[in-house]
Amino acid sequence: MDALALTAEALREPWRLWTGHLVHFGWEHALANAVALAVPWILAAPRDRRRLALATLILPPLLSVLLLPSLGGGEYRGASGLVCALWALVGLRLAVRNESALLGLMLLASLLVKLAAETVVGGGVLLRADGWSTLPAAHLWGSGLGLAAALPVQARIRLFRPRRT
């Protein structure tokens, strides 16, 4: 096991909540994640880049905590969950803008096709090097966190505020 990978030890070694997204199963894995992370940064509207930067710092430990029950004694290495979060965040932000709605919908549709394919296949759908394992739960949780992060603050408050009867 890698000393920086996300494992159940993250509850006693909290740095793993961030570092699990930095370590990979090799240079091919790291390169694939780097290219996928670049896409939302390139497509994001300039006014959304601050939100994207904040999400890049805040979402990894939240995602890690959500992934702990899915590890089953194993480990998580890679940024694919964060990639899905940023694709969802940028896709939704672009989709609600008239000038870039089609681009945002294409980004969200691509993410949805990936998630659906993983659900049907029961695991990762991309070719990978030996030892490289996927954790589809990272992609699902990441997408959900990205969609939540894309919502305006007022919408998040209304969504999670208890209703009065």
Short mmCIF file of all heavy atoms in Angstrom, two decimals, residues 51 55 59 81-93 108 111 139-151:
data_model
loop_
_atom_site.label_atom_id
_atom_site.label_comp_id
_atom_site.label_asym_id
_atom_site.label_seq_id
_atom_site.Cartn_x
_atom_site.Cartn_y
_atom_site.Cartn_z
N ARG A 51 -14.43 29.85 -8.57
CA ARG A 51 -15.25 28.77 -8.01
C ARG A 51 -14.59 27.41 -8.31
O ARG A 51 -14.57 26.52 -7.47
CB ARG A 51 -16.65 28.80 -8.61
CG ARG A 51 -17.58 27.71 -8.08
CD ARG A 51 -18.91 27.73 -8.77
NE ARG A 51 -19.64 28.94 -8.52
CZ ARG A 51 -20.77 29.00 -7.82
NH1 ARG A 51 -21.30 27.92 -7.33
NH2 ARG A 51 -21.37 30.15 -7.63
N ALA A 55 -13.27 24.77 -5.58
CA ALA A 55 -13.74 23.38 -5.62
C ALA A 55 -12.58 22.41 -5.67
O ALA A 55 -12.63 21.34 -5.04
CB ALA A 55 -14.66 23.18 -6.82
N LEU A 59 -13.21 20.02 -2.56
CA LEU A 59 -13.87 18.76 -2.89
C LEU A 59 -13.05 17.49 -2.61
O LEU A 59 -13.64 16.48 -2.22
CB LEU A 59 -14.35 18.77 -4.34
CG LEU A 59 -15.48 19.75 -4.65
CD1 LEU A 59 -15.89 19.67 -6.11
CD2 LEU A 59 -16.68 19.54 -3.75
N GLY A 81 -12.30 10.90 -9.52
CA GLY A 81 -13.47 11.43 -8.83
C GLY A 81 -13.50 12.95 -8.89
O GLY A 81 -14.56 13.56 -9.12
N LEU A 82 -12.35 13.56 -8.72
CA LEU A 82 -12.24 15.02 -8.82
C LEU A 82 -12.50 15.47 -10.25
O LEU A 82 -13.15 16.49 -10.48
CB LEU A 82 -10.87 15.49 -8.34
CG LEU A 82 -10.62 16.99 -8.33
CD1 LEU A 82 -11.62 17.71 -7.43
CD2 LEU A 82 -9.19 17.29 -7.89
N VAL A 83 -12.03 14.70 -11.22
CA VAL A 83 -12.29 15.00 -12.63
C VAL A 83 -13.80 15.05 -12.87
O VAL A 83 -14.32 16.00 -13.46
CB VAL A 83 -11.63 13.96 -13.56
CG1 VAL A 83 -12.17 14.05 -14.98
CG2 VAL A 83 -10.12 14.11 -13.55
N CYS A 84 -14.51 14.04 -12.41
CA CYS A 84 -15.96 13.99 -12.60
C CYS A 84 -16.64 15.17 -11.91
O CYS A 84 -17.59 15.75 -12.44
CB CYS A 84 -16.52 12.67 -12.09
SG CYS A 84 -16.03 11.25 -13.11
N ALA A 85 -16.15 15.53 -10.73
CA ALA A 85 -16.72 16.68 -10.01
C ALA A 85 -16.55 17.97 -10.82
O ALA A 85 -17.50 18.75 -10.96
CB ALA A 85 -16.05 16.82 -8.64
N LEU A 86 -15.37 18.19 -11.36
CA LEU A 86 -15.12 19.42 -12.11
C LEU A 86 -15.86 19.43 -13.44
O LEU A 86 -16.34 20.47 -13.88
CB LEU A 86 -13.63 19.64 -12.30
CG LEU A 86 -12.81 19.82 -11.01
CD1 LEU A 86 -11.37 20.16 -11.33
CD2 LEU A 86 -13.42 20.85 -10.08
N TRP A 87 -15.99 18.27 -14.09
CA TRP A 87 -16.77 18.20 -15.32
C TRP A 87 -18.23 18.54 -15.03
O TRP A 87 -18.87 19.27 -15.78
CB TRP A 87 -16.67 16.80 -15.94
CG TRP A 87 -15.47 16.57 -16.78
CD1 TRP A 87 -14.16 16.76 -16.41
CD2 TRP A 87 -15.44 16.10 -18.12
NE1 TRP A 87 -13.32 16.44 -17.45
CE2 TRP A 87 -14.08 16.02 -18.51
CE3 TRP A 87 -16.42 15.73 -19.03
CZ2 TRP A 87 -13.70 15.58 -19.78
CZ3 TRP A 87 -16.03 15.28 -20.29
CH2 TRP A 87 -14.69 15.22 -20.65
N ALA A 88 -18.78 18.00 -13.93
CA ALA A 88 -20.17 18.28 -13.57
C ALA A 88 -20.35 19.76 -13.21
O ALA A 88 -21.30 20.39 -13.65
CB ALA A 88 -20.60 17.39 -12.40
N LEU A 89 -19.43 20.28 -12.42
CA LEU A 89 -19.52 21.69 -12.00
C LEU A 89 -19.50 22.61 -13.22
O LEU A 89 -20.39 23.44 -13.40
CB LEU A 89 -18.35 22.00 -11.06
CG LEU A 89 -18.35 23.34 -10.33
CD1 LEU A 89 -17.42 23.27 -9.14
CD2 LEU A 89 -17.99 24.51 -11.18
N VAL A 90 -18.50 22.47 -14.06
CA VAL A 90 -18.36 23.34 -15.23
C VAL A 90 -19.48 23.07 -16.23
O VAL A 90 -20.04 24.01 -16.80
CB VAL A 90 -16.97 23.18 -15.88
CG1 VAL A 90 -16.88 23.91 -17.21
CG2 VAL A 90 -15.90 23.71 -14.92
N GLY A 91 -19.84 21.81 -16.43
CA GLY A 91 -20.92 21.49 -17.36
C GLY A 91 -22.22 22.15 -16.97
O GLY A 91 -22.90 22.76 -17.81
N LEU A 92 -22.59 22.07 -15.70
CA LEU A 92 -23.84 22.69 -15.25
C LEU A 92 -23.77 24.21 -15.32
O LEU A 92 -24.73 24.86 -15.74
CB LEU A 92 -24.18 22.23 -13.83
CG LEU A 92 -25.53 22.67 -13.29
CD1 LEU A 92 -26.67 22.23 -14.21
CD2 LEU A 92 -25.75 22.14 -11.89
N ARG A 93 -22.65 24.78 -14.92
CA ARG A 93 -22.50 26.25 -15.00
C ARG A 93 -22.61 26.75 -16.43
O ARG A 93 -23.23 27.76 -16.70
CB ARG A 93 -21.16 26.70 -14.38
CG ARG A 93 -20.99 26.38 -12.90
CD ARG A 93 -21.85 27.18 -12.00
NE ARG A 93 -21.41 28.56 -12.03
CZ ARG A 93 -22.00 29.55 -11.41
NH1 ARG A 93 -23.08 29.33 -10.70
NH2 ARG A 93 -21.54 30.77 -11.48
N LEU A 108 -21.94 17.60 -19.83
CA LEU A 108 -22.77 16.81 -18.92
C LEU A 108 -23.19 15.48 -19.57
O LEU A 108 -23.21 14.44 -18.90
CB LEU A 108 -24.00 17.60 -18.50
CG LEU A 108 -23.74 18.78 -17.56
CD1 LEU A 108 -25.00 19.61 -17.38
CD2 LEU A 108 -23.22 18.29 -16.22
N LEU A 111 -20.32 13.03 -19.46
CA LEU A 111 -20.19 12.50 -18.11
C LEU A 111 -21.28 11.46 -17.83
O LEU A 111 -21.01 10.39 -17.26
CB LEU A 111 -20.24 13.65 -17.09
CG LEU A 111 -20.07 13.29 -15.63
CD1 LEU A 111 -18.74 12.59 -15.38
CD2 LEU A 111 -20.17 14.55 -14.78
N HIS A 139 -16.49 8.20 -9.15
CA HIS A 139 -17.06 8.95 -10.26
C HIS A 139 -18.47 9.42 -9.93
O HIS A 139 -18.85 10.56 -10.23
CB HIS A 139 -17.03 8.11 -11.52
CG HIS A 139 -15.66 7.58 -11.83
ND1 HIS A 139 -15.45 6.48 -12.62
CD2 HIS A 139 -14.43 7.98 -11.43
CE1 HIS A 139 -14.16 6.24 -12.71
NE2 HIS A 139 -13.52 7.13 -11.98
N LEU A 140 -19.25 8.55 -9.29
CA LEU A 140 -20.62 8.93 -8.92
C LEU A 140 -20.63 10.02 -7.85
O LEU A 140 -21.32 11.03 -7.98
CB LEU A 140 -21.38 7.69 -8.42
CG LEU A 140 -21.76 6.68 -9.49
CD1 LEU A 140 -22.30 5.41 -8.85
CD2 LEU A 140 -22.79 7.27 -10.44
N TRP A 141 -19.86 9.80 -6.78
CA TRP A 141 -19.81 10.80 -5.71
C TRP A 141 -19.22 12.11 -6.22
O TRP A 141 -19.69 13.19 -5.87
CB TRP A 141 -18.99 10.30 -4.52
CG TRP A 141 -19.73 9.38 -3.61
CD1 TRP A 141 -19.46 8.06 -3.38
CD2 TRP A 141 -20.88 9.68 -2.80
NE1 TRP A 141 -20.35 7.54 -2.48
CE2 TRP A 141 -21.23 8.50 -2.10
CE3 TRP A 141 -21.63 10.83 -2.60
CZ2 TRP A 141 -22.30 8.44 -1.22
CZ3 TRP A 141 -22.71 10.77 -1.71
CH2 TRP A 141 -23.03 9.59 -1.04
N GLY A 142 -18.18 12.02 -7.03
CA GLY A 142 -17.57 13.23 -7.58
C GLY A 142 -18.56 14.01 -8.42
O GLY A 142 -18.66 15.24 -8.30
N SER A 143 -19.32 13.33 -9.25
CA SER A 143 -20.32 14.00 -10.08
C SER A 143 -21.37 14.70 -9.23
O SER A 143 -21.75 15.84 -9.49
CB SER A 143 -21.00 13.00 -11.02
OG SER A 143 -20.06 12.43 -11.89
N GLY A 144 -21.82 14.01 -8.20
CA GLY A 144 -22.81 14.62 -7.30
C GLY A 144 -22.28 15.85 -6.58
O GLY A 144 -22.96 16.87 -6.48
N LEU A 145 -21.05 15.75 -6.09
CA LEU A 145 -20.44 16.91 -5.42
C LEU A 145 -20.24 18.06 -6.40
O LEU A 145 -20.44 19.22 -6.03
CB LEU A 145 -19.10 16.52 -4.80
CG LEU A 145 -19.15 15.67 -3.54
CD1 LEU A 145 -17.75 15.21 -3.14
CD2 LEU A 145 -19.80 16.43 -2.40
N GLY A 146 -19.86 17.76 -7.62
CA GLY A 146 -19.68 18.80 -8.63
C GLY A 146 -20.97 19.51 -8.96
O GLY A 146 -21.01 20.74 -9.09
N LEU A 147 -22.06 18.74 -9.09
CA LEU A 147 -23.36 19.36 -9.35
C LEU A 147 -23.79 20.25 -8.19
O LEU A 147 -24.29 21.35 -8.40
CB LEU A 147 -24.42 18.28 -9.63
CG LEU A 147 -24.25 17.50 -10.92
CD1 LEU A 147 -25.26 16.35 -10.99
CD2 LEU A 147 -24.37 18.41 -12.13
N ALA A 148 -23.57 19.78 -6.97
CA ALA A 148 -23.92 20.59 -5.79
C ALA A 148 -23.08 21.86 -5.74
O ALA A 148 -23.58 22.93 -5.41
CB ALA A 148 -23.73 19.77 -4.52
N ALA A 149 -21.79 21.75 -6.08
CA ALA A 149 -20.91 22.92 -6.05
C ALA A 149 -21.27 23.93 -7.13
O ALA A 149 -20.97 25.12 -7.00
CB ALA A 149 -19.45 22.48 -6.22
N ALA A 150 -21.93 23.48 -8.20
CA ALA A 150 -22.31 24.38 -9.29
C ALA A 150 -23.51 25.23 -8.93
O ALA A 150 -23.72 26.29 -9.54
CB ALA A 150 -22.61 23.58 -10.55
N LEU A 151 -24.29 24.78 -7.97
CA LEU A 151 -25.49 25.53 -7.60
C LEU A 151 -25.12 26.84 -6.92
O LEU A 151 -24.17 26.88 -6.13
CB LEU A 151 -26.37 24.71 -6.64
CG LEU A 151 -26.96 23.43 -7.19
CD1 LEU A 151 -27.65 22.66 -6.07
CD2 LEU A 151 -27.92 23.72 -8.32
#
